[in-house]
Amino acid sequence: MKAMVLAVERRINDNMALRMKYPDRPEKFMDSELELFSHLKRLHVLATAPELFPTFVRTKCVSSLLGLLMHENSDISIDVVDLLHEMADADGADPDDVKALADALVEHGAPAALMEHLKRLDEAVDEESRAVHQSLGIFEALLEASPELSAPLARDAGLMAWLLGRIKLRPFHANKLYATELLAVLLQQNAPNQALFGEEGGVLALLTATSYYKRREPQALEE
């Protein structure tokens, strides 16, 4: 694992250096970008070994990966979301191992970084729509590992406002459904979030979402 982490760190630094040296000549940094993408893909194996999460978070790779969410190449930033989602949702993971990962993500500013990345995504593009869904999955994993994060995520990270904005959009979509589910988690037995819901116009957002069905019947069970 340490060898994979070091390889990724090296590719990140190489790519960053070439992008800074040749900002207007993509042919100069494209090979380094492909190498970085390839080594990121190799890190996905970590999701199959969650017992390594505590060791992984002791490296500086968590911070480096979150920095890649702002990478100009959306293929790289989206793959980081995919990787973090796979790790946060790893099958059969010990809760303590997931907690170690969640704590490291929060410590290094994952909520704010994920929210900024969400603003860059276009749900009309399948790959980016999937990244939105995975981002919500990461937030759900953070809440499961650390329920006390509910209020800070809702207000400080801006998750409540984003969710309310998303559920108002038409038509029905899997991401809209996920947004309503995550909203319910934030509101459940949480007075600060319930107050924030009112401040952010939550009632109007729900009325807007349900008004879509005044003259239209749901077309599927999920809807």
Side-chain angles (χ1 to χ4, degrees):
M1 183 204 70
K2 291 182 179 179
M4 288 191 297
V5 167
L6 288 173
V8 167
E9 294 283 358
R10 190 178 309 116
R11 268 65 184 190
I12 291 174
N13 292 334
D14 290 348
N15 179 243
M16 185 182 302
L18 288 170
R19 271 187 166 271
M20 291 178 66
K21 187 175 182 179
Y22 305 106
D24 301 316
R25 301 180 64 184
E27 71 277 5
K28 291 289 188 178
F29 56 73
M30 189 54 62
D31 285 346
S32 71
E33 219 134 283
L34 291 172
E35 284 192 25
L36 172 56
F37 186 76
S38 174
H39 280 78
L40 281 173
K41 284 295 184 185
R42 296 178 188 177
L43 270 186
H44 284 246
V45 73
L46 284 173
T48 67
E51 66 275 8
L52 294 178
F53 290 176
T55 303
F56 173 73
V57 300
R58 286 195 290 270
T59 73
K60 68 174 186 176
C61 199
V62 171
S63 177
S64 298
L65 290 176
L66 292 173
L68 289 178
L69 290 176
M70 303 311 296
H71 200 284
E72 291 184 36
N73 186 332
S74 62
D75 288 339
I76 288 176
S77 64
I78 286 173
D79 191 65
V80 170
V81 171
D82 187 25
L83 170 60
L84 294 178
H85 177 257
E86 285 185 6
M87 294 176 69
D89 194 40
D91 291 335
D94 186 290
D96 288 341
D97 294 333
V98 177
K99 182 70 163 57
L101 175 65
D103 287 349
L105 289 174
V106 173
E107 178 185 351
H108 292 287
L114 286 167
M115 291 305 302
E116 283 300 312
H117 188 247
L118 278 171
K119 297 174 185 177
R120 296 172 53 192
L121 299 175
D122 179 1
E123 291 188 61
V125 179
D126 287 346
E127 185 180 43
E128 297 187 22
S129 178
R130 186 162 52 252
V132 169
H133 199 274
Q134 292 172 329
S135 297
L136 297 181
I138 296 171
F139 279 115
E140 182 180 21
L142 292 178
L143 288 168
E144 288 180 355
S146 302
E148 69 276 9
L149 289 174
S150 184
L153 288 180
R155 183 181 290 275
D156 300 339
L159 182 58
M160 175 78 76
W162 189 91
L163 293 174
L164 291 174
R166 183 61 188 84
I167 66 175
K168 289 192 291 187
L169 298 180
R170 302 177 179 181
F172 178 79
H173 189 279
N175 288 342
K176 182 173 183 175
L177 175 62
Y178 206 169
T180 60
E181 293 171 346
L182 201 51
L183 180 62
V185 172
L186 290 178
L187 293 173
Q188 188 173 16
Q189 298 180 342
N190 192 302
N193 283 352
Q194 292 166 6
L196 179 62
F197 177 78
E199 294 171 19
E200 295 284 357
V203 173
L204 179 59
L206 293 182
L207 290 173
T208 301
T210 55
S211 68
Y212 181 58
Y213 297 102
K214 287 177 64 176
R215 297 180 178 83
R216 181 183 182 278
E217 290 296 322
Q219 301 299 305
L221 182 61
E222 284 187 341
E223 189 173 3

